[in-house]
Amino acid sequence: DQQVKQNSPSLSVQEGRISILNCDYTNSMFDYFLWYKKYPAEGPTFLISISSIKDKNEDGRFTVFLNKSAKHLSLHIVPSQPGDSAVYFCAASEYGANSKLTFGKGITLSVRP
Amino acid sequence: DAGITQSPRYKITETGRQVTLMCHQTWSHSYMFWYRQDLGHGLRLIYYSAAADITDKGEVPDGYVVSRSKTENFPLTLESATRSQTSVYFCASSPRQSSYNEQFFGPGTRLTVL
């Protein structure tokens, strides 16, 4: 059973607009949530994270929102830029779980100039 | 160079052959991981290691073997490669005292099994 779900496989937005990438999870024991960004032929790179004790974390153009009651998080990118075009993975982890992360399937974001 | 490296970056092999993918990190991170990325499946954990000589299975371990005799190296071996093991393989590492259990990934190895 998939514990981290990214149900939309792709998203296309216009440059300058907001990109909203969604992620749902089923395991209520998750304490940490992370977003990774992946360009073709490269490894994933860490983008932003949030702890379960918070509902928002912001870093420049990137903001992650967490709704624990709905077991839902979203990544907002404002404004979107063509260089943001990549695959975005949502990941989750339990405290003390040997640093293991559970990943979603990823969302391919395309930002049109 | 500092960081996490993988070799080879690309590998073509035949069904039934043994192949080893190498992973090396220079940070002395305690934890190391192997993932495979396949279309429609995202990143799936194959094996992980909490320290030298300590390894454990992940979600999809069948057909793979790992070892970790030194902290910095974590090789992944396909003992008898099958076509279903055609994939992109990523190695990652994480320090023991990591905020959010953040992992750092290598550049990947694209493996094709004919």
Side-chain angles (χ1 to χ4, degrees):
Chain A
D1 185 32
Q2 202 177 4
Q3 298 186 63
V4 177
K5 302 177 183 180
Q6 295 179 263
N7 293 320
S8 301
S10 62
L11 175 68
S12 181
V13 299
Q14 193 75 36
E15 180 180 5
R17 300 288 184 99
I18 184 172
S19 294
I20 300 176
L21 289 70
N22 294 307
C23 179
D24 297 292
Y25 62 96
T26 58
N27 186 347
S28 58
M29 299 299 291
F30 286 144
D31 297 293
Y32 308 124
F33 303 90
L34 303 84
W35 285 93
Y36 278 80
K37 178 178 182 179
K38 185 188 177 304
Y39 291 119
E42 294 183 11
T45 56
F46 170 75
L47 186 60
I48 192 169
S49 60
I50 189 167
S51 163
S52 60
I53 63 173
K54 296 184 177 181
D55 55 16
K56 177 182 175 181
N57 188 26
E58 192 172 354
D59 184 1
R61 296 185 298 112
F62 303 91
T63 302
V64 57
F65 295 92
L66 175 62
N67 183 334
K68 282 190 66 177
S69 61
K71 293 189 176 68
H72 176 82
L73 63 154
S74 60
L75 175 66
H76 292 213
I77 306 174
V78 184
S80 301
Q81 300 174 354
D84 295 329
S85 297
V87 177
Y88 290 79
F89 290 101
C90 174
S93 179
E94 296 181 40
Y95 174 79
N98 286 334
S99 283
K100 283 198 295 181
L101 295 174
T102 301
F103 285 87
K105 294 182 179 181
I107 300 172
T108 300
L109 173 66
S110 298
V111 181
R112 307 185 303 273
Chain B
D1 288 342
I4 184 166
T5 57
Q6 294 183 235
S7 61
R9 293 294 315 276
Y10 302 91
K11 176 72 177 178
I12 299 175
T13 191
E14 295 178 337
T15 301
R17 290 194 182 259
Q18 182 181 81
V19 59
T20 296
L21 309 184
M22 304 302 294
C23 178
H24 176 79
Q25 52 106 352
T26 61
W27 294 307
S28 298
H29 285 171
S30 296
Y31 295 103
M32 296 189 75
F33 307 85
W34 274 106
Y35 294 89
R36 58 178 291 174
Q37 183 194 8
D38 303 288
L39 196 63
H41 291 279
L43 292 164
R44 293 183 292 176
L45 182 64
I46 304 171
Y47 269 95
Y48 68 99
S49 169
D53 298 320
I54 301 175
T55 62
D56 207 346
K57 296 178 179 179
E59 180 185 355
V60 288
D62 293 344
Y64 303 95
V65 175
V66 293
S67 62
R68 194 166 176 208
S69 57
K70 293 184 178 180
T71 299
E72 60 267 29
N73 297 323
F74 191 37
L76 176 74
T77 298
L78 289 67
E79 293 189 304
S80 179
T82 64
R83 289 195 180 89
S84 65
Q85 292 177 309
T86 292
S87 185
V88 181
Y89 291 86
F90 290 101
C91 178
S93 69
S94 178
R96 184 167 295 278
Q97 301 296 330
S98 169
S99 301
Y100 300 96
N101 290 336
E102 178 186 347
Q103 295 178 14
F104 300 84
F105 283 80
T109 295
R110 180 174 291 277
L111 176 67
T112 302
V113 183
L114 301 176

